[in-house]
Amino acid sequence: MTAKSRRKLLLLLAAATTGLALYNNLLARRALAGRPLGRFIHLRGTKLHFLEAGHGQSLLLLHGNGASAEDFTTSGIFGEAAARYRVLAFDRPGFGLSPRPAGGPWTAGAQADLIQAAAEKLGVERYIVVGHSWGAAVALEMARRHPRSVAGVVVVAGYHYPPPRLALAISALPAAPLIGTVLRHAILPSLVRLNWRWAMKKIFHPATIATPFAATTRGLASRPSQLWSISAESFLMLASALFPNRRYAEIAVPVGIIAGAGDQLFDAKAEALRLQTEISHSLLDIVLDAGHMVHQSKPQAVLAMIDKVAALASVAGPVSGTAL
């Protein structure tokens, strides 16, 4: 190939990459435009978007990696819980309508402190927190770091003891400088959309795919900005696997642990059983015929666990001290 031919090829590749990036950014804006708008709270140099409904004991809902607050509206948990709780479902930093400011890693601890600060600003003095998947790590950190505010925790399909895996390293690549920028803006959005049904089958197996979740999340999860957040949290999970610093035994509030027996992402049942042995005052429910998206497939199991933890929390009362 001559030098002139190589230049033409490079120009064609650059043009194609730019065109794909512009197209993907257009689709990203459309995905956001179709979202239900809740409220924003500004604090610590950023803002959090959240949905709120109901009255009574405060209940905070935290979605997993790649999802948004709508994970809980499409499952029905948000609406049903609002009949007896004051429910706040947050877009965690970098997901949905909440930005993910640069400058430092948004670890589970950092997010726990941010959500706690938001709760305080909203006048929420004591609450139950529910976390799915990576959101479960944030929920447990909230209980450990802020025991005076957290009345109880429900973790759903939590990856509590992640082993080092090559898949985590690969998933973290789009967060890298330069090459990650090209991947996120030009290549990965199309790949995510093309493989969306396969991904949904994997996370829902053995249950059927919940169409409302799959339809609303597809556009959000393929946005370049959200792909960066997904990759960043994959990197944090890898770091947690390589340099574990888990202190679950310090958690003194009631904890409900839920896992799908058929989870194909990891051995969720074994993770849940291990966590139960480490945390006193914990309840366990291994849900049959459900996978990683157990809260979508079996929302009543999650709602029942929330009620059980709330009942235990009302008997136990506030926990004194802090565990930072």
Side-chain angles (χ1 to χ4, degrees):
M1 182 181 290
T2 64
K4 185 176 180 180
S5 297
R6 284 196 297 269
R7 283 196 298 270
K8 285 184 177 180
L9 180 59
L10 288 172
L11 286 172
L12 285 173
L13 287 173
T17 301
T18 302
L20 280 172
L22 291 172
Y23 175 68
N24 289 326
N25 285 327
L26 174 63
L27 292 182
R29 288 195 296 272
R30 288 180 179 175
L32 286 180
R35 285 209 65 199
L37 186 62
R39 294 172 57 193
F40 287 95
I41 182 168
H42 297 257
L43 71 169
R44 300 190 176 185
T46 186
K47 62 180 180 179
L48 284 175
H49 176 253
F50 66 98
L51 306 173
E52 182 178 8
H55 303 278
Q57 166 75 63
S58 296
L59 176 67
L60 277 54
L61 305 178
L62 306 177
H63 60 82
N65 192 3
S68 67
E70 285 175 278
D71 190 1
F72 294 102
T73 60
T74 56
S75 68
I77 291 174
F78 181 88
E80 289 199 41
R84 50 192 182 276
Y85 298 95
R86 178 192 178 188
V87 186
L88 299 97
F90 287 90
D91 283 338
R92 294 192 295 103
F95 300 96
L97 292 174
S98 295
R100 194 181 184 97
W106 281 99
T107 62
Q111 293 191 42
D113 292 344
L114 182 67
I115 301 295
Q116 169 64 22
E120 291 176 0
K121 194 169 182 179
L122 291 167
V124 178
E125 295 182 356
R126 192 160 165 79
Y127 55 83
I128 295 166
V129 57
V130 179
H132 172 249
S133 194
W134 211 89
V138 179
L140 290 173
E141 274 297 288
M142 292 176 74
R144 192 184 69 79
R145 299 164 75 92
H146 306 287
R148 292 178 181 174
S149 298
V150 178
V153 179
V154 177
V155 290
V156 184
Y159 204 6
H160 311 298
Y161 308 93
R165 293 187 300 137
L166 179 62
L168 289 176
I170 294 173
S171 298
L173 280 177
L178 299 179
I179 183 64
T181 302
V182 175
L183 287 172
R184 294 194 310 271
H185 286 270
I187 299 172
L188 281 180
S190 297
L191 291 178
V192 169
R193 291 190 291 268
L194 287 171
N195 291 285
W196 189 247
R197 183 159 184 82
W198 172 85
M200 291 298 97
K201 284 183 177 180
K202 186 175 181 64
I203 63 175
F204 274 94
H205 181 86
T208 56
I209 298 172
T211 302
F213 171 84
T216 58
T217 309
R218 181 173 179 263
L220 292 174
S222 58
R223 292 181 304 145
S225 61
Q226 191 149 312
L227 287 170
W228 185 83
S229 301
I230 293 169
S231 301
E233 295 202 343
S234 296
F235 174 79
L236 290 172
M237 189 179 294
L238 178 62
S240 176
L242 293 172
F243 309 102
N245 184 28
R246 305 176 190 102
R247 297 155 67 180
Y248 300 139
E250 296 177 356
I251 297 172
V253 300
V255 176
I257 306 166
I258 300 178
D263 198 319
Q264 290 193 327
L265 296 190
F266 55 91
D267 193 343
K269 179 179 178 180
E271 299 261 329
L273 288 167
R274 183 177 173 184
L275 184 66
Q276 186 192 26
T277 64
E278 194 166 346
I279 299 180
S280 59
H281 309 296
S282 60
L283 304 172
L284 177 66
D285 185 11
I286 305 298
V287 183
L288 301 178
D289 301 321
H292 192 63
M293 304 300 286
V294 58
H295 62 303
Q296 286 278 343
S297 306
K298 304 287 184 178
Q300 292 303 323
V302 178
L303 289 163
M305 185 63 81
I306 292 170
D307 290 341
K308 290 176 184 177
V309 169
L312 288 174
S314 66
V315 173
V319 176
S320 61
T322 183
L324 286 176

